[in-house]
Amino acid sequence: MTNSNYPRLSGGTFFILVLQALRQRIKAREHYKGESDGLKDPNVLIGLIKVINPDYVAPAGDALKTKTNDFKSCKLSKGEYLPFGKTAEIEEFDNRIQNDYGSALSAMVGFVEQFLETGTAAKKDVRLVKALMELIQSDDSIGADEEFYISENGDKIKKAAFGDLTDICLPAFLLGVWHYVVVNRKDNKVGQDTYNKWCPPAGGGPREYKSNIGKAITRDISVYTVDISDSQEEEPQDDEPEVHAQEDTAQTPPPSPASVYNNNPLFIQQNGDGNVVMPNYGTINITFGKK
């Protein structure tokens, strides 16, 4: 019998897949010393929440630990410390995606740089993209014409076009899927069957991720990232004058000994055998020829 609720994209299933692409954890010795690598599940969820709301303040201690587990297992959709659902934070995030995409993309670029492993032999970034793509394409509750803001320039792409994608900007792709989840999938519990299939019960012990989602996509996909500075449009620099060196085609001899006084506020240029352009630090006397 086919499970009509599998697979489903939700906040929890998105979160599970992101966790599979985390950077390498620190050694046990560092844990023994009490050091933390900042890659625990609550840290990662806080990072995703800050993409939604950069001003989010995480609760102290382990207050978010249980809620993070419930969110990952699709038991919890919203609640204290979790600004999901129909909240002002989600509404403003949606508005930022549509009207100030660059700032939203910068936030996700920061998340990727802090938490995810990219450009390594393990290809965790490629695996993550393929897993999310297969999940979305296989989720029959998402219509073919539904759109995702997964382009680096902020353009929307329909689900039907996912099969044609070969070059993908990882932060933009994650941003578009995360936005779709928190805006259109407010009921995280729709992912419970998917979670149970991916992370089967283990006799009371911690559940391990055992899914092969993403492997059905066999074509080559190039995944790249961008720097935070590259994710925002650069403003033209008009404060520095453009200086062009002029070629001395006439081969004129240097002038006879004389003094030149140049008060040009921008630059001074000495013409002759080997042009020299220097910034003006005041009135400069230049003498040509022998003293």
Side-chain angles (χ1 to χ4, degrees):
M1 181 176 179
T2 302
N3 184 350
S4 60
N5 292 323
Y6 174 84
R8 286 289 180 269
L9 172 66
S10 70
T13 56
F14 175 86
F15 185 51
I16 292 170
L17 294 180
V18 167
L19 292 176
Q20 309 314 308
L22 294 182
R23 293 187 290 105
Q24 185 175 351
R25 305 301 299 264
I26 65 174
K27 298 179 180 179
R29 178 178 297 180
E30 279 72 21
H31 280 297
Y32 179 77
K33 293 179 180 178
E35 298 179 10
S36 173
D37 57 11
L39 297 176
K40 294 180 179 179
D41 290 3
N43 299 128
V44 181
L45 184 58
I46 290 170
L48 287 171
I49 292 174
K50 286 190 174 183
V51 173
I52 296 171
N53 176 23
D55 298 320
Y56 176 78
V57 178
D62 295 330
L64 199 59
K65 183 176 181 180
T66 300
K67 293 186 181 298
T68 299
N69 290 332
D70 289 342
F71 181 78
K72 180 173 68 174
S73 59
C74 304
K75 296 177 181 178
L76 181 69
S77 298
K78 57 183 180 179
E80 189 178 12
Y81 309 128
L82 299 179
F84 302 128
K86 192 175 182 180
T87 63
E89 290 89 346
I90 298 301
E91 290 180 2
E92 286 304 315
F93 178 51
D94 184 31
N95 179 66
R96 200 158 82 255
I97 287 288
Q98 298 183 51
N99 300 297
D100 189 13
Y101 181 80
S103 67
L105 179 59
S106 291
M108 185 58 83
V109 169
F111 172 85
V112 170
E113 291 180 348
Q114 182 176 357
F115 293 102
L116 302 189
E117 181 176 309
T118 61
T120 64
K123 296 186 178 180
K124 288 184 178 181
D125 47 357
V126 177
R127 289 171 177 264
L128 173 57
V129 168
K130 286 187 174 183
L132 285 170
M133 288 181 66
E134 183 179 336
L135 174 59
I136 293 169
Q137 289 177 302
S138 302
D139 188 339
D140 58 17
S141 67
I142 301 176
D145 289 334
E146 292 197 51
E147 298 175 318
F148 294 77
Y149 290 90
I150 60 174
S151 295
E152 186 180 348
N153 61 2
D155 287 346
K156 295 178 287 185
I157 293 180
K158 292 183 178 181
K159 170 186 171 178
F162 273 36
D164 299 326
L165 299 176
T166 56
D167 295 288
I168 295 176
C169 174
L170 179 62
F173 187 83
L174 293 179
L175 178 63
V177 178
W178 183 229
H179 167 263
Y180 180 89
V181 166
V182 299
V183 171
N184 298 290
R185 289 292 171 93
K186 292 181 171 61
D187 183 8
N188 185 34
K189 295 180 181 180
V190 301
Q192 276 190 0
D193 288 341
T194 304
Y195 170 78
N196 289 330
K197 190 172 181 67
W198 287 357
C199 308
R207 294 192 178 193
E208 294 183 9
Y209 175 80
K210 297 182 177 181
S211 174
N212 290 321
I213 190 80
K215 290 189 176 180
I217 299 178
T218 58
R219 72 181 185 277
D220 290 335
I221 292 180
S222 175
V223 176
Y224 63 94
T225 58
V226 293
D227 294 329
I228 292 180
S229 58
D230 294 338
S231 65
Q232 297 178 334
E233 184 178 357
E234 295 184 359
E235 297 293 333
Q237 302 295 325
D238 295 330
D239 54 341
E240 295 184 5
E242 185 176 3
V243 180
H244 298 280
Q246 299 176 352
E247 183 179 0
D248 185 8
T249 57
Q251 299 295 326
T252 55
S256 57
S259 294
V260 178
Y261 298 86
N262 190 323
N263 290 313
N264 190 313
L266 298 179
F267 65 91
I268 60 174
Q269 178 168 323
Q270 173 187 334
N271 293 311
D273 294 333
N275 293 342
V276 176
V277 179
M278 299 181 294
N280 187 3
Y281 298 105
T283 300
I284 301 176
N285 299 334
I286 302 177
T287 302
F288 301 101
K290 298 181 180 179
K291 295 183 180 179

